[in-house]
Amino acid sequence: MNPWIFIVLFGLIEIGWAYTLKLSEMYTKPPLYAGINIILMIVSLYFLTKTLKKYH
């Protein structure tokens, strides 16, 4: 699979976790946004890792 697809997905998910971090107000709001934020961070790192493995 083309690594550029992983880079685009990584970028979109980065936007998503930054937005959910804002919604959770730095983890002071209800745990829904914080949970989504943590999941998006993990998925984001997964796509970054896949991209780096393709180029390394």
Side-chain angles (χ1 to χ4, degrees):
M1 189 173 226
N2 191 350
W4 284 102
I5 294 171
F6 293 132
I7 292 174
V8 169
L9 289 172
F10 168 74
L12 292 173
I13 293 172
E14 285 282 314
I15 294 168
W17 79 251
Y19 183 68
T20 56
L21 183 63
K22 179 182 184 281
L23 290 177
S24 71
E25 294 184 12
M26 300 300 284
Y27 303 116
T28 59
K29 287 285 184 175
L32 175 66
Y33 294 123
I36 293 171
N37 180 261
I38 291 170
I39 291 169
L40 288 176
M41 284 182 177
I42 292 169
V43 172
S44 173
L45 286 174
Y46 170 76
F47 283 121
L48 180 62
T49 304
K50 293 281 282 186
T51 302
L52 292 174
K53 283 183 180 178
K54 290 282 184 176
Y55 282 119
H56 188 263

